Every structure is written in C-alpha cells, then in structure tokens.
Amino acid sequence: MTDHLTVLVVGATGSIGRHVVATSVAAGHSTRALARNASRARGLDPAAEVVVGDLTDASTLTAAVAGIDAVVFTHGDNSNGEAVNYGAVRNVLQVLDGRPVRIALMTTVGATVRHPSSEWKRRGERLVRASGNRYTIVRPGWFDYNDADQLQVTMRQGDTHQAGNPADGVIARYQIARVLVDSLTDDRADHRTLELVAERGPEQDDLGPVFAVLDPDPTSSLDGVHDEANLPLEEEPERVRDDLDRIRARP
Ligand SMILES: NC(=O)c1ccc[n+]([C@@H]2O[C@H](COP(=O)([O-])OP(=O)(O)OC[C@H]3O[C@@H](n4cnc5c(N)ncnc54)[C@H](OP(=O)(O)O)[C@@H]3O)[C@@H](O)[C@H]2O)c1
C-alpha cells in the first residue's frame, strides 16, 4: 500500500477528530473532513477538504466516500448510540458498497461491558470486522487524564479494565489521533483490536513495535481476539443480525 492515502475523517469536528485531521494532513495524506454543518468545520486544518453529510442518513454520504482509500471513525454521541455510534459505521460501509478501504475505528475502553452505550459501539466494531476490510480498532482510555510524564503509548487486549473511571487507563487526545493515523499504513496494525493507554515514560518515536506484539483478531471473528464472549449473536436484535448479513454478503 502506498503511504499517501485519501483519508476520510468521520467525527472530524470532535475533540479527537480535529487532532486526526491535523495528524493526517501532517502525515501527507489527502484529508477529507466530514461535518454535518460546514460552520462546525471552521478551525480545522485548512489543508483538509470539508464535505458535508449526516452520519445518520446514508443517502448524504456519497460525496464523502468518493475515491477514499481509508476512513478514520472518531464520531460519538452516547445519548444516541444506535443512530450515531453504530449507525455511522453501518451507513459508511453501506455507501462504500463493498469497495475496500482501510479502516481505523475509535470506540472506547470498556467496549465489551454489557451496557447500551458500549453495546452499540461494540456492534459497530463487529460490522468493521465482518466487512472484510483491513482495520484497526482502537479503544482509548480516558482522554487527557494523563500526567505530563505519562506518554508511553501502551496497547492492551481483552478489555480487562472495566471500572468506568480513569483507573481503566488514560491517554492524550493527540496520541489517540497518532495511533489511528499511523495504523492506516502499518501492516502490523491490521486486524488488531486494542485498548490504548499511556504509561509513565516518554512517547515512542515509532509505534510499529507496539503494534507488532499484538495478537490479530481471528479470521471471521466478530469480537476482538481476547474479548469476553458475552454478547451472543443469537440474542442480538434482528436488525443488527440483518446488518451483519448484508455487510458480509457484499462482494
Ligand atoms: N472522554 C473520554 O475520556 C472518552 C474515552 C474513551 C472513549 N470516549 C468516546 O469518544 C467518543 C467521541 O469523543 P469526542 O470527545 O471526540 O466527542 P465529541 O467531541 O463530542 O465529537 C463527536 C463527533 O461526532 C459528531 N457527531 C455526533 N453526532 C452526530 C450526528 N448525529 N451526525 C453527524 N456527526 C455527529 C460530532 O459532530 P458535531 O461537531 O457536528 O457535533 C463530532 O464531530 C464518545 O463516544 C466517547 O464515548 C470518550
């Protein structure tokens, strides 16, 4: 894969998305920022192209996905988990209609907790895994709760920290953006699901070795490699199972 990509940033106007836009531009990628309102895109890196679309309405997303090589999802609205957190992933994949793209999806530490807000994020993860695309799923800890000397990028698997507070891990916003953008061009990040936190120590110059020690998700698995199997597919809502069937059936 070439290192120069056309990257769509979903959630580009958000607290992480803004960093992703800047990081993607700095990495030399042609960067497209999806905004539901052009005025919200003011202040984004001027090198980014702004495209207007509504994540909850697939029919508005055609221009956003035209010609992209990769998509970074950083959207979020926990009060609207099905329509936004899950719906954005479903709708973008639907509009891509099976055209392969590299995906980086941000969800959250605690994504496997049985709670409606985490379940809709986890279902979005499942669509990405089922889509047949190359992907990295990044579950960050608490944003910007890190101390100044807490910058060593650390990746865990299995979603083992579920206190629901910063004890689950902390990470700087700009570091989340770096991991998402770096993952797009690093084969060692492909098919990896990881929780992202920072430990005491300096930030690494190269994240490749950090990705390299992760276990890949098993082929055809809907969940992350070491995730607890606590969301049985047969108990999922029919519309969710239908979405998975449609995603898998695409060429
Ligand atoms: N805070 C933490 O420590 C933490 C830790 C782990 C994970 N998370 C998760 O991270 C996610 C995102 O965080 P954030 O701070 O970047 O959130 P944010 O600043 O609120 O950004 C959310 C983005 O999603 C977009 N969006 C929301 N609803 C939309 C809709 N209906 N249509 C189109 N776009 C929509 C927003 O667009 P607009 O600008 O137009 O509103 C914005 O670009 C949240 O779901 C949160 O649960 C947070």
Side-chain angles (χ1 to χ4, degrees):
M1 177 185 273
T2 167
D3 277 355
H4 173 89
L5 307 175
T6 297
V7 177
L8 172 67
V9 184
V10 173
T13 57
S15 85
I16 305 298
R18 289 174 179 275
H19 284 286
V20 172
V21 169
T23 305
S24 174
V25 168
H29 301 312
S30 299
T31 304
R32 188 176 295 164
L34 178 63
R36 55 177 155 173
N37 178 336
S39 67
R40 292 275 301 144
R42 271 191 235 119
L44 290 181
D45 192 309
E49 174 195 6
V50 176
V51 175
V52 173
D54 178 352
L55 287 174
T56 63
D57 180 355
S59 71
T60 69
L61 300 175
T62 308
V65 305
I68 60 169
D69 304 303
V71 54
V72 181
F73 289 100
T74 63
H75 60 287
D77 177 355
N78 292 349
S79 64
N80 225 344
E82 180 170 5
V84 177
N85 294 343
Y86 173 77
V89 179
R90 182 197 55 218
N91 290 343
V92 168
L93 289 172
Q94 181 185 320
V95 177
L96 282 165
D97 196 24
R99 193 159 61 74
V101 292
R102 186 63 166 80
I103 296 175
L105 170 66
M106 180 185 83
T107 60
T108 185
V109 72
T112 63
V113 171
R114 292 299 312 262
H115 182 276
S117 83
S118 42
E119 285 169 4
W120 286 115
K121 291 188 183 190
R122 187 174 182 181
R123 291 176 182 127
E125 294 186 357
R126 286 178 161 187
L127 286 178
V128 167
R129 295 190 191 95
S131 72
N133 286 294
R134 292 152 55 82
Y135 68 82
T136 308
I137 294 172
V138 176
R139 299 166 166 170
W142 287 60
F143 300 170
D144 284 349
Y145 273 78
N146 56 305
D147 295 330
D149 65 345
Q150 206 171 8
L151 291 171
Q152 185 176 302
V153 173
T154 304
M155 300 179 185
R156 305 187 303 229
Q157 294 184 291
D159 199 29
T160 50
H161 293 58
Q162 303 189 344
N165 62 45
D168 291 336
V170 297
I171 183 79
R173 284 182 165 86
Y174 81 86
Q175 293 184 304
I176 302 170
R178 181 184 176 205
V179 169
L180 290 165
V181 172
D182 276 22
S183 76
L184 300 176
T185 51
D186 194 327
D187 287 341
R188 294 167 289 190
D190 181 24
H191 278 74
R192 265 59 175 183
T193 298
L194 60 106
E195 292 86 55
L196 177 64
V197 299
E199 302 289 359
R200 299 221 178 263
E203 184 167 339
Q204 303 89 326
D205 291 334
D206 178 8
L207 296 181
V210 191
F211 287 124
V213 296
L214 298 173
D215 291 326
D217 295 337
T219 310
S220 307
S221 172
L222 287 177
D223 287 323
V225 56
H226 298 304
D227 288 351
E228 187 183 350
N230 60 350
L231 191 66
L233 187 57
E234 56 278 13
E235 293 173 21
E236 283 287 81
E238 194 176 348
R239 61 190 184 284
V240 170
R241 283 184 278 134
D242 288 347
D243 286 340
L244 281 166
D245 287 343
R246 271 192 291 274
I247 290 296
R248 286 189 178 115
R250 290 185 192 281

